[in-house]
């Protein structure tokens, strides 16, 4: 059995760790409360904009737009979103390992990363991102989403890529906490097969024209999708970190309970040994 001094030092170390994990759990919990005030609105917007796009594609077969072009796929670009920090369980490793597998399956693919852990992950594996955004996922805003979306649309419009795909961690439904991939550009009807509540609006009238409406809507649609996935990735990261820190704090408390039991047993053993030594010495003195 370890000595009382060693156990006491161990207890002090675990108590310090518990304070740190408890503080991090509280910070993530507060940030989750802040983002949950907007996450449901973001979900409704994310769902609504995909439904609207499907309805427009169903009823606007005679219009054209550069983002709707089904040109041959010669080059693919993956946009990978992860966190800027660790200590969030398997959140980052799951989405990054999935992304690495998809990139390996696509020879010559370009890579755009959002998040410091993503950049470090691919650098460590000999893959330098073509574009890297740092600090952008810690505070997702519409202005930042517009900046990213404009860079992506520029690449597509100038034929620098033929297929833009985003990989992120979902915060909704069955896919919650799992990596999700979807095509951002080009916009194709079959990408919205999972939208079941869209209607074919045969009598809809566009003003001034269907072409003008699409020219205005599609760029805003791209910005909205980018912002939506940034918010989901942000919420997923803090949810995972909150759970990881809660588990760490619980484990630290259980370890403290065991260590204190060991400490009490060690003290009792030390006291018993001291009493036995005193009693033995007294017997020796009495015999003399």
């Amino acid at each position: 059995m370890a000595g009382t001094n060693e156990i006491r030092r161990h207890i002090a170390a675990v108590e310090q760790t518990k304070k740190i994990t408890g503080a991090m759990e509280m910070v993530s919990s507060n940030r989750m409360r802040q983002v949950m005030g907007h996450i449901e609105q973001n979900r409704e917007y994310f769902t609504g904009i995909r439904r609207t796009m499907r309805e427009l594609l169903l009823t606007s077969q005679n219009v054209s737009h550069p983002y709707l072009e089904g040109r041959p796929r010669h080059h693919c670009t993956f946009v990978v979103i992860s966190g800027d920090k660790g200590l969030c369980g398997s959140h980052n490793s799951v989405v990054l390992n999935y992304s690495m597998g998809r990139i390996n399956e696509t020879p010559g693919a370009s890579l755009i990363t959002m998040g410091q852990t993503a950049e470090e992950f691919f650098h460590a594996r000999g893959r330098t991102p073509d574009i890297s955004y740092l600090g952008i996922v810690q505070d997702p805003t519409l202005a930042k989403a517009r900046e990213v979306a404009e860079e992506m649309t520029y690449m597509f419009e100038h034929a620098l890529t033929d297929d833009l795909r985003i990989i992120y961690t979902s915060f909704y439904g069955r896919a919650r906490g799992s990596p999700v991939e979807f095509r951002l550009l080009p916009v194709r009807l079959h990408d919205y097969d999972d939208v079941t509540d869209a209607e074919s609006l045969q009598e809809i009238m566009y003003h001034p024209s269907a072409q003008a409406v699409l020219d205005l809507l599609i760029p805003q649609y791209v910005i909205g999708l980018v912002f939506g996935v940034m918010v989901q990735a942000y919420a997923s990261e803090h949810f995972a970190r909150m759970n990881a820190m809660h588990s760490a704090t619980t484990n630290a408390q259980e370890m403290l309970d065991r260590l204190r039991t060991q400490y009490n047993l060690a003290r009792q053993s030390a006291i018993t040994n001291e009493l036995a030594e005193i009693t033995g010495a007294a017997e020796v003195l009495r015999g003399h």
Side-chain angles (χ1 to χ4, degrees):
M1 179 181 294
T4 55
N5 291 335
E6 181 181 350
I7 297 175
R8 192 160 50 240
R9 287 194 297 270
H10 198 174
I11 289 175
V14 175
E15 285 178 340
Q16 291 296 323
T17 302
K18 181 186 173 185
K19 290 179 181 178
I20 295 172
T21 57
M24 294 186 67
E25 179 187 357
M26 187 177 299
V27 170
S28 293
S29 178
N30 289 335
R31 290 183 177 176
M32 277 298 302
R33 279 195 292 268
Q34 293 173 4
V35 76
M36 286 306 293
H38 307 284
I39 196 71
E40 188 58 34
Q41 298 173 2
N42 177 75
R43 179 177 185 176
E44 293 176 2
Y45 176 79
F46 193 76
T47 303
I49 197 171
R50 297 186 77 244
R51 180 175 61 249
T52 301
M53 182 56 64
R54 177 171 172 82
E55 291 171 351
L56 287 172
L57 292 175
L58 286 171
T59 57
S60 306
Q61 301 294 336
N62 297 324
V63 297
S64 62
H65 192 278
Y67 297 168
L68 303 178
E69 292 180 0
R71 59 196 185 200
R73 178 184 171 186
H74 299 299
H75 187 275
C76 181
T77 299
F78 289 96
V79 183
V80 181
I81 304 178
S82 72
D84 276 334
K85 302 175 183 178
L87 297 178
C88 51
S90 60
H91 168 80
N92 289 322
S93 62
V94 170
V95 68
L96 292 176
N97 286 325
Y98 174 84
S99 303
M100 193 68 188
R102 291 290 294 119
I103 292 172
N104 290 335
E105 295 171 0
T106 311
S110 298
L111 174 64
I112 298 175
T113 60
M114 297 171 63
Q116 186 171 348
T117 57
E119 183 187 39
E120 293 174 353
F121 176 87
F122 288 106
H123 268 301
R125 286 154 182 79
R127 182 67 186 254
T128 301
D130 298 275
I131 302 175
S132 182
Y133 295 98
L134 300 179
I136 198 170
V137 295
Q138 287 301 313
D139 184 21
T141 62
L142 196 57
K144 294 177 180 178
R146 184 176 288 109
E147 175 187 347
V148 175
E150 288 176 353
E151 184 74 33
M152 296 178 184
T153 53
Y154 177 87
M155 294 174 60
F156 189 79
E157 290 173 357
H158 291 78
L160 300 178
T161 186
D162 304 309
D163 194 1
L164 268 163
R165 294 174 177 267
I166 294 183
I167 302 176
Y168 67 102
T169 306
S170 174
F171 191 72
Y172 303 137
R174 297 179 181 178
R176 183 171 183 170
S178 302
V180 175
E181 174 186 346
F182 77 92
R183 181 187 293 108
L184 181 65
L185 291 173
V187 180
R188 294 176 179 171
L189 179 60
H190 65 80
D191 289 334
Y192 303 90
D193 291 340
D194 59 320
V195 180
T196 56
D197 55 346
E199 300 178 4
S200 180
L201 306 177
Q202 301 297 336
E203 301 300 326
I204 192 171
M205 297 180 63
Y206 298 98
H207 180 76
S209 65
Q211 184 68 56
V213 171
L214 277 178
D215 289 344
L216 176 65
L217 178 63
I218 292 183
Q220 299 302 317
Y221 159 80
V222 174
I223 295 172
L225 280 187
V226 172
F227 179 65
V229 299
M230 287 172 62
V231 171
Q232 285 195 60
Y234 175 81
S236 298
E237 178 188 356
H238 285 291
F239 183 75
R241 182 172 292 111
M242 183 179 66
N243 289 335
M245 293 300 100
H246 177 74
S247 297
T249 303
T250 302
N251 292 337
Q253 183 59 52
E254 293 176 354
M255 184 177 293
L256 282 174
D257 293 339
R258 291 195 300 268
L259 287 171
R260 285 171 180 146
T261 299
Q262 293 178 14
Y263 179 72
N264 291 333
L265 290 174
R267 285 188 61 194
Q268 291 175 6
S269 177
I271 292 171
T272 301
N273 290 336
E274 290 176 1
L275 290 174
E277 291 175 359
I278 292 171
T279 304
E283 290 295 332
V284 171
L285 293 174
R286 187 178 299 113
H288 285 293

